[in-house]
Amino acid sequence: MGISLGIEATSCIRCGHCVAVCPAHIFSQESGERGAIGLQNVSSCIVCGHCAAVCPTGAVVHSAFPADTIHPIDRAGLPTPEQVLALCRARRSNRAFSRKPVPRESLELILEAAHRAPTASNAQEVGFTWMTDPERLKRVIELTIDTFDGVARKLENPILRPVLRRIMPQVYRYLPNFHRLVAAWREQGEDLILRGATAVLFIHTPAGARFGQADANLAYQNGSLMAESLGVSQFYTGFVCSAVGQDRRGRFAELLGLDKGRRIQAGMAVGMPSFRFPNYMDKQPVEAAWL
């Protein structure tokens, strides 16, 4: 279904803000002081909402954004630059979780923050699945361990090893880690995959989405900062994502109940912290150029 877009002439003050912000160049303005606003190529709208969000008088009428979906921003209530930077400095990948579950309302706020991340061309194809069931979380660990065990066996296969060492020598650096992770889980019952997280947010997109992984990682970072602000610890599920990339049978997607057209692109393991970090430290000097 197409969108409808119009300008209420009686409330439009012809400020031209909609013309300046529209990425699809749908809005035009007649020359001269406060020229009339016109519309062109409406079918090229990517439904980003910039026009409705920037209009100071509500003169932009967009079918995708009814009046009750547009809300004023209280800029006086926004965090200061110093507060935002303090949050960025405080955010860490804290894997020391307590057994206390993360409150549902905190999970919902993390989800909303992740959902509000930008997406390429405003495609908004990013989907989310919260997993809190202990048995399903255990299955995620087992699938990851099974995958790493299979990769290790393949790398050590006497027939394949000479060829694999030539075409992917960098992978052999991770072989000791694969053995360590497998042994920890199967011999000691130690979870080095999710580290006892009580919930995992899986972020997925259509398999054919050109910028799916980038969109998912932007969503992760939004959610990660929200988690820090809530006092919820989190880390990026790199081991799981690596195993997902090797999962030709779609076992992870099946566990999440995803259809075959979607791909897991990122994940966030969360839990209430056993303790909080009292300090932050300087990072290595920034590598940046000013041109």
Side-chain angles (χ1 to χ4, degrees):
M1 181 182 296
I3 60 114
S4 63
L5 181 58
I7 302 291
E8 285 188 349
T10 54
S11 55
C12 177
I13 60 174
R14 304 182 178 185
C15 62
H17 294 174
C18 55
V19 180
V21 301
C22 178
H25 303 288
I26 292 170
F27 295 84
S28 62
Q29 187 167 23
E30 293 181 2
S31 60
E33 184 73 16
R34 298 277 178 172
I37 303 296
L39 298 172
Q40 57 192 5
N41 302 320
V42 173
S43 61
S44 64
C45 176
I46 64 171
V47 200
C48 65
H50 283 353
C51 56
V54 80
C55 184
T57 62
V60 174
V61 182
H62 198 302
S63 60
F65 305 103
D68 61 350
T69 68
I70 303 171
H71 312 281
I73 298 173
D74 177 15
R75 294 203 172 272
L78 296 180
T80 65
E82 293 78 13
Q83 290 171 328
V84 173
L85 187 55
L87 181 64
C88 291
R89 287 168 171 165
R91 195 218 69 82
R92 296 197 70 84
S93 298
N94 184 0
R95 296 170 174 81
F97 297 129
S98 71
R99 294 187 177 181
K100 183 180 178 181
V102 179
R104 174 66 179 256
E105 53 269 27
S106 294
L107 297 180
E108 290 174 349
L109 286 170
I110 292 169
L111 175 61
E112 181 176 355
H115 178 56
R116 287 192 171 273
T119 58
S121 300
N122 193 45
Q124 297 191 46
E125 296 177 314
V126 180
F128 304 89
T129 300
W130 269 119
M131 183 179 289
T132 58
D133 176 61
E135 289 303 313
R136 288 180 184 266
L137 292 172
K138 182 179 179 182
R139 183 62 180 149
V140 168
I141 299 168
E142 290 172 343
L143 286 176
T144 303
I145 291 297
D146 287 348
T147 300
F148 288 163
D149 190 27
V151 171
R153 292 175 185 274
K154 184 180 296 184
L155 292 174
E156 293 177 324
N157 184 296
I159 297 174
L160 298 176
R161 186 182 183 102
V163 176
L164 295 177
R165 267 204 175 277
R166 282 201 309 273
I167 63 176
M168 48 172 55
Q170 70 282 1
V171 177
Y172 281 85
R173 292 170 35 209
Y174 299 101
L175 190 55
N177 283 339
F178 295 157
H179 287 307
R180 179 174 62 90
L181 295 170
V182 172
W185 177 252
R186 292 183 176 172
E187 297 173 17
Q188 288 88 41
E190 184 180 2
D191 169 22
L192 299 181
I193 304 301
L194 298 182
R195 302 283 185 153
T198 57
V200 175
L201 180 63
F202 289 95
I203 308 173
H204 41 85
T205 69
R210 182 178 178 187
F211 300 104
Q213 190 171 64
D215 289 346
N217 284 327
L218 287 169
Y220 163 82
Q221 185 61 9
N222 262 29
S224 142
L225 290 172
M226 175 58 79
E228 187 68 42
S229 75
L230 291 165
V232 175
S233 291
Q234 59 76 40
F235 67 86
Y236 192 91
T237 58
F239 286 144
V240 177
C241 290
S242 178
V244 167
Q246 301 290 324
D247 181 24
R248 302 292 179 258
R249 293 160 53 189
R251 295 178 298 171
F252 285 93
E254 182 180 357
L255 182 63
L256 268 63
L258 301 179
D259 62 48
K260 294 181 179 179
R262 296 194 69 82
R263 176 178 297 167
I264 299 167
Q265 303 280 19
M268 180 192 306
V270 303
M272 298 308 296
S274 295
F275 48 81
R276 304 292 295 277
F277 286 83
N279 307 302
Y280 78 89
M281 68 278 298
D282 294 337
K283 301 199 77 171
Q284 294 181 11
V286 62
E287 293 186 18
W290 300 77
L291 304 177

